[in-house]
C-alpha cells in the first residue's frame, strides 16, 4: 500500500527536543492535576485529618518507653501525613497515565514524533510537583498548630525533596501497571495495597514499640526507612548522613528501579502494537 | 496485512493514494478501515505486506512517517482539562516547531476552524463539533503532507458535518494536502472523495472514482407512480425500456437501458397507452448500490441484513434501491 509522496521536503527546520517535549508534557500533567481540585483535595485533606485523629487518639503514647522524644504526637505524625499525601498523589499520577491510554490521548501522542520516554516521564512529573506541594502545605499547616521541624531549613527542604522523590518512585512503579493494563481502575485499586504496606511499616508508630512477626515485617519494609528518614528531620536537631540516606537516597534508588520497570513495560507495550 | 492471533483483520489491501487527492475508505464497522489507518499511522505494525506513507515504510521508518502525517482519529481524544491554545502549544513542541512560528500557526488554524473565541476555554466545555474542529487544527499544526481522518464526522450534527467537509475540501484544494478519509457514511465519501475504496471483511472489494463505480453498477432506476388499476398495463409498457425492479408499494421501477435519455420515450409510451402518470422519479445508482453489488449486503441502514431480491428483480445481484439519492 502506498499513500502519497511528499510534495516537498518538509519540516527540515523542525527540531524535536526530548527535554522540551518532556517539559511540555510535564506542564500538561501538572496543570491537569491542579485543574481537578475535587480529585486533588483528598490527597491534602485525608492525611491531615488522619494526623489530627491520631494526635487526639494517641496523644499519651508519646510518653511510652521507647517512643522518641517529641513535643507532641502531631510532630511525630508529620512524616506520616507527608508519606500518605505522597502515596495518594502517586496513585493519581499513575491513574492519569492509564486514563490517557484508555481515552486515546496516548494514541495521539504515539502518532506524533515525540520521544516515547518523554510521554511517561512527562506524565510522572506531576507526582514530583504535587508531592513537593503537599509536603509544603502539610508542614505549613502543622507549623500553624505549633509543630516544629527541629532540624531547621535544611530539614524542611529535605522533607520536601524526599516527599517528591517518594511520590515519583511510587507513581513510576504504579505507572508500570498503568502501561501494562491501560486501566485507571486497576491503578486506583492498588491504593489500598499501598496503604496496607504503610501500616506494615513504622510510618505511624516507632519500631521500638513493635514486637514479634510484625516487627520483622516492619524491619524489611522499605517504607519504614523512608518514614523514619523523613521523621528524623522533624524530631532530631542534628542532621545525620543516615537520615539523608533513608529520606533521599532510598527513594532515589526506588525511582531508578521503578523507572527501569516502567520503561520495560513501555517497550513491551510498544512491541505489541 | 494485520493479524490478531488467529483473526485476520486486514488482508489483501492493495491500493495507492495519489498526491493531492482525497481518498475515501468506505466500509461498515469492523470491516478493517480503522485497522488499516492504524497501520498507516504507525499505531499498529503490519504482520505482513508493506505500506509506504509519504515515501517512507511505516514498519522500517515510522519516525519519518510521523513527521509527515497528521492524524485525527475517531472520538477526538483531546484532553478536556487543557485549553485549545495549550493543546496547540503542546502539539507544536511535540513536532519541534519553534515558538514564534507555532504562535502564528496556532492563530491561523484557530481562525480557520472558527475557534479563536474559544481558544482560551478548556476543551471540556467544547461541543462535539468544536472538538472535532480542534482535533483537525491539531492534526494540521505541523503542515502534514498526508492527513488521516478516521470517521471525522461520526456523531456530529448535520451543520458541524458540513463545516468539517468544507474544511477538508479547503485543505485539499487550496493547500494540496493529501487526505485519507475513512467513513461509514456513503454521502460523505460521495461528497468528498476523488476516489474511494470499499473494504469489507478486511479486503478491498471495489476501488475507483465514485461516479465510475456507480455507473458500473448499472442503469438508473425510473420510479413511476400510476393508478392501481393501470399498474399491470404500465408494467407491460415499461418492460420495453429495461428490467423491472422491486420498489416500494404503489410504484413501479424500471432500470432504464438508455439511461436518463430514455425518460422522454417512457413518458410518450405511457401517454400513448392512456396511462395517467401521477409521479416520476429518477434514481441514479448510489455508492450503497456499489457496495451491495460488491458484497451482497447493504452498508447504510440495515447493515447486517442480507438483501433479498424481490420477484422480478434485476440481474444485478444484491441491488437495493435508494430513493432520491444521487
Amino acid at each position: 500500500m502506498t499513500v502519497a509522496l511528499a510534495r516537498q521536503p518538509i519540516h527540515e527546520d523542525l527540531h524535536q527536543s526530548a527535554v522540551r517535549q518532556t517539559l511540555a508534557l510535564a506542564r500538561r500533567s501538572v496543570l491537569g492535576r491542579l485543574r481537578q481540585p475535587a480529585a486533588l483535595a483528598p490527597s491534602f485533606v485525608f492525611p491531615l485529618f488522619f494526623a489530627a485523629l491520631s494526635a487526639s487518639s494517641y496523644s499519651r503514647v508519646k510518653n511510652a518507653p521507647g517512643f522518641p522524644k517529641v513535643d507532641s504526637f502531631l510532630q511525630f505524625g508529620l512524616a506520616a501525613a507527608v508519606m500518605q499525601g505522597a502515596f495518594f498523589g502517586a496513585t493519581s499520577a499513575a491513574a492519569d497515565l492509564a486514563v490517557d491510554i484508555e481515552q486515546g490521548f496516548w494514541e495521539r501522542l504515539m502518532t506524533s514524533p515525540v520521544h516515547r520516554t518523554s510521554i511517561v516521564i512527562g506524565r510522572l512529573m506531576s507526582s514530583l510537583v504535587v508531592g513537593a506541594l503537599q509536603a509544603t502545605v502539610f508542614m505549613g499547616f502543622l507549623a500553624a498548630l505549633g509543630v516544629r521541624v527541629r532540624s531547621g531549613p535544611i530539614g524542611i527542604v529535605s522533607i520536601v525533596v524526599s516527599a517528591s522523590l517518594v511520590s515519583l518512585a511510587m507513581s513510576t512503579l504504579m505507572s508500570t501497571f498503568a502501561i501494562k493494563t491501560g486501566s485507571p481502575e486497576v491503578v486506583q485499586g492498588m491504593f489500598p495495597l499501598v496503604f496496607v504496606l504503610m501500616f506494615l511499616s513504622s510510618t505511624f508508630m516507632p519500631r521500638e514499640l513493635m514486637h514479634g512477626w510484625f516487627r520483622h515485617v516492619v524491619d524489611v519494609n522499605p517504607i519504614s526507612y523512608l518514614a523514619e528518614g523523613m521523621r528524623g528531620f522533624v524530631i532530631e536537631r542534628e542532621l545525620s548522613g543516615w537520615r539523608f540516606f533513608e529520606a533521599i537516597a532510598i527513594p532515589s534508588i526506588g525511582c531508578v528501579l521503578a523507572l527501569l520497570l516502567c520503561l520495560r513495560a513501555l517497550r513491551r507495550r510498544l512491541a505489541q502494537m | 496485512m494485520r493479524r490478531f492471533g488467529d483473526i485476520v483483520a486486514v488482508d489483501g489491501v492493495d491500493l495507492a493514494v495519489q498526491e493531492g487527492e482525497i481518498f475515501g475508505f468506505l466500509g461498515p464497522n469492523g470491516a478493517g478501515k480503522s485497522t488499516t489507518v492504524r497501520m498507516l499511522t504507525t499505531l499498529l505494525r503490519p504482520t505482513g505486506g508493506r505500506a509506504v506513507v509519504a515515501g517512507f515504510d511505516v514498519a522500517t521508518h515510522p519516525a519519518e512517517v510521523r513527521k509527515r502525517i497528521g492524524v485525527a482519529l475517531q472520538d477526538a481524544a483531546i484532553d478536556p482539562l487543557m485549553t485549545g491554545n495549550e493543546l496547540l502549544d503542546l502539539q507544536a513542541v511535540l513536532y519541534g516547531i519553534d515558538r514564534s512560528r507555532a504562535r502564528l500557526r496556532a492563530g491561523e488554524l484557530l481562525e480557520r476552524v472558527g475557534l479563536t473565541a474559544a481558544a482560551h476555554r478548556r476543551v471540556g466545555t467544547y461541543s462535539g463539533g468544536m472538538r472535532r474542529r480542534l482535533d483537525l487544527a491539531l492534526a494540521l499544526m505541523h503542515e502534514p503532507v498526508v492527513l488521516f481522518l478516521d470517521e471525522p464526522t461520526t456523531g456530529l450534527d448535520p451543520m458541524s458535518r458540513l463545516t468539517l467537509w468544507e474544511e477538508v475540501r479547503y485543505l485539499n484544494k487550496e493547500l494540496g494536502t493529501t487526505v485519507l478519509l475513512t467513513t461509514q457514511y456513503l454521502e460523505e465519501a460521495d461528497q468528498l472523495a476523488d476516489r474511494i475504496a470499499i473494504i469489507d471483511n478486511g479486503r478491498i472489494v471495489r476501488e475507483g472514482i465514485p461516479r465510475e463505480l456507480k455507473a458500473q453498477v448499472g442503469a438508473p432506476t425510473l420510479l413511476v407512480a400510476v393508478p392501481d388499476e393501470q399498474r399491470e398495463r404500465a408494467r407491460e409498457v415499461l418492460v420495453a425500456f429495461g428490467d423491472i425492479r422491486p420498489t416500494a408499494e404503489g410504484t413501479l421501477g424500471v432500470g432504464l437501458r438508455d439511461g436518463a435519455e430514455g425518460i422522454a420515450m417512457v413518458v410518450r409510451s405511457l401517454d400513448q397507452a392512456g396511462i395517467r402518470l401521477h409521479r416520476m422519479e429518477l434514481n441514479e445508482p448510489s455508492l450503497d448500490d456499489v457496495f451491495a453489488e460488491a458484497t451482497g449486503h447493504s452498508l447504510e441502514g440495515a447493515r447486517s441484513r442480507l438483501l433479498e431480491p424481490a420477484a422480478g428483480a434485476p440481474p444485478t445481484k444484491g441491488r437495493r434501491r435508494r430513493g432520491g439519492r444521487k
Side-chain angles (χ1 to χ4, degrees):
Chain A
M1 178 185 286
T2 306
V3 180
L5 293 169
R7 63 198 143 128
Q8 59 192 27
I10 59 149
H11 309 316
E12 299 300 338
D13 56 338
L14 298 185
H15 305 286
Q16 286 103 31
S17 148
V19 174
R20 260 190 89 197
Q21 290 173 340
T22 306
L23 289 175
L25 289 165
R27 179 174 178 265
R28 169 186 170 246
S29 72
V30 172
L31 285 175
R33 293 292 306 286
L34 297 179
R35 287 175 181 174
Q36 300 178 84
L40 195 61
S43 68
F44 281 83
V45 174
F46 283 126
L48 287 173
F49 175 72
F50 208 74
L53 197 68
S54 306
S56 62
S57 303
Y58 307 126
S59 59
R60 286 194 294 173
V61 177
K62 74 183 176 71
N63 301 320
F67 201 93
K69 292 198 181 312
V70 290
D71 299 336
S72 64
F73 193 85
L74 209 51
Q75 188 183 36
F76 180 85
L78 172 56
V82 172
M83 290 282 285
Q84 284 176 72
F87 286 160
F88 255 121
T91 310
S92 301
D96 284 348
L97 181 62
V99 168
D100 276 354
I101 295 170
E102 189 183 60
Q103 297 189 350
F105 197 83
W106 174 274
E107 291 196 334
R108 172 182 294 284
L109 296 174
M110 285 292 153
T111 59
S112 76
V114 64
H115 290 257
R116 276 29 191 163
T117 46
S118 298
I119 298 173
V120 175
I121 294 172
R123 214 11 159 167
L124 296 174
M125 285 301 112
S126 67
S127 59
L128 199 74
V129 174
V130 174
L133 190 65
Q134 282 169 328
T136 309
V137 168
F138 292 161
M139 282 191 285
F141 189 79
L142 294 185
L145 298 176
V147 173
R148 286 185 306 127
V149 175
R150 287 179 175 165
S151 59
I154 294 177
I156 290 171
V157 172
S158 300
I159 290 170
V160 171
V161 172
S162 179
S164 300
L165 290 171
V166 168
S167 184
L168 181 62
M170 190 53 79
S171 67
T172 309
L173 187 63
M174 291 175 111
S175 292
T176 305
F177 296 97
I179 291 169
K180 272 187 178 175
T181 65
S183 164
E185 290 79 13
V186 168
V187 177
Q188 297 281 10
M190 289 171 67
F191 184 70
L193 187 68
V194 174
F195 219 67
V196 168
L197 286 174
M198 281 183 77
F199 276 105
L200 291 173
S201 75
S202 57
T203 303
F204 300 104
M205 282 290 162
R207 256 194 282 183
E208 290 72 14
L209 300 186
M210 299 170 187
H211 304 283
W213 68 267
F214 193 83
R215 172 66 186 262
H216 291 304
V217 172
V218 171
D219 282 345
V220 296
N221 186 348
I223 295 175
S224 299
Y225 298 92
L226 302 176
E228 286 168 17
M230 231 183 263
R231 190 157 56 228
F233 291 123
V234 182
I235 63 175
E236 294 166 8
R237 281 195 175 79
E238 300 297 318
L239 292 165
S240 74
W242 176 247
R243 292 301 183 213
F244 280 106
F245 177 78
E246 287 179 313
I248 309 290
I250 289 180
S252 298
I253 293 167
C255 282
V256 173
L257 294 177
L259 189 62
L260 290 175
L261 281 174
C262 191
L263 293 179
R264 189 161 151 258
L266 176 66
R267 270 197 303 277
R268 284 188 174 177
R269 188 175 186 97
L270 295 176
Q272 284 167 1
M273 285 193 344
Chain B
M1 180 209 247
R2 176 69 199 197
R3 277 178 178 277
F4 295 98
D6 292 336
I7 299 165
V8 180
V10 173
D11 189 14
V13 173
D14 186 9
L15 47 90
V17 177
Q18 302 304 318
E19 184 184 343
E21 76 175 343
I22 300 180
F23 192 88
F25 212 39
L26 188 65
N29 287 333
K33 302 187 299 289
S34 292
T35 303
T36 305
V37 166
R38 289 166 71 79
M39 285 193 283
L40 295 174
T41 55
T42 76
L43 283 173
L44 272 180
R45 248 179 231 120
T47 48
R50 185 166 180 259
V52 176
V53 175
F56 292 93
D57 190 304
V58 295
T60 57
H61 295 87
E64 294 302 322
V65 171
R66 287 178 198 128
K67 286 180 198 169
R68 290 162 173 79
I69 61 171
V71 185
L73 293 174
Q74 276 185 54
D75 302 328
I78 303 177
D79 188 341
L81 297 169
M82 303 281 279
T83 68
N85 271 334
E86 286 167 346
L87 282 168
L88 285 163
D89 283 349
L90 176 65
Q91 192 83 349
V93 174
L94 299 184
Y95 282 86
I97 303 168
D98 67 67
R99 223 168 254 143
S100 57
R101 191 173 154 195
R103 204 161 296 147
L104 276 174
R105 181 90 183 125
E108 282 169 18
L109 285 169
L110 285 167
E111 196 175 329
R112 182 76 228 152
V113 297
L115 289 176
T116 306
H120 296 281
R121 272 168 44 199
R122 287 189 201 170
V123 173
T125 65
Y126 285 19
S127 67
M130 290 166 82
R131 283 179 194 225
R132 292 295 172 100
R133 282 184 278 141
L134 178 62
D135 198 17
L136 188 61
L138 290 168
L140 295 170
M141 188 67 188
H142 57 294
E143 298 176 48
V145 173
V146 185
L147 177 64
F148 289 90
L149 299 174
D150 191 12
E151 307 212 2
T153 61
T154 299
L156 291 190
D157 60 80
M159 272 310 293
S160 300
R161 186 173 294 176
L162 286 176
T163 309
L164 209 84
W165 286 0
E166 269 176 39
E167 196 52 39
V168 172
R169 281 194 197 102
Y170 170 83
L171 291 169
N172 178 254
K173 302 292 175 223
E174 302 300 320
L175 306 180
T177 309
T178 305
V179 180
L180 193 145
L181 165 94
T182 78
T183 183
Q184 51 180 316
Y185 298 132
L186 298 161
E187 192 188 359
E188 189 159 275
D190 219 356
Q191 288 283 330
L192 288 178
D194 300 315
R195 286 193 310 130
I196 63 161
I198 294 175
I199 186 169
D200 189 43
N201 290 324
R203 288 178 175 277
I204 300 284
V205 291
R206 285 289 181 277
E207 184 195 341
I209 297 166
R211 179 174 27 84
E212 291 177 2
L213 288 173
K214 285 185 279 188
Q216 284 167 16
V217 173
T221 302
L222 183 69
L223 297 178
V224 177
V226 296
D228 286 347
E229 65 277 12
Q230 293 186 314
R231 184 166 303 152
E232 276 314 303
R233 175 74 189 119
R235 183 190 290 272
E236 287 164 19
V237 172
L238 290 174
V239 80
F241 297 93
D243 49 38
I244 300 297
R245 293 176 176 175
T247 63
E249 214 168 303
T251 58
L252 287 164
V254 57
L256 288 180
R257 207 178 294 120
D258 299 330
E261 286 149 20
I263 294 176
M265 206 50 198
V266 171
V267 173
R268 271 199 293 274
S269 299
L270 289 171
D271 187 45
Q272 283 165 9
I275 294 168
R276 292 198 309 280
L277 200 52
H278 288 167
R279 184 169 57 84
M280 285 181 79
E281 184 180 319
L282 184 70
N283 287 341
E284 294 286 352
S286 69
L287 281 181
D288 198 26
D289 295 318
V290 176
F291 189 86
E293 194 263 341
T295 66
H297 55 270
S298 171
L299 181 62
E300 276 200 344
R303 286 198 181 92
S304 60
R305 192 182 63 194
L306 281 171
L307 295 164
E308 296 171 7
T316 45
K317 60 180 174 179
R319 175 179 300 281
R320 191 164 76 99
R321 189 168 343 280
R322 302 199 56 75
R325 287 185 54 82
K326 196 169 83 165

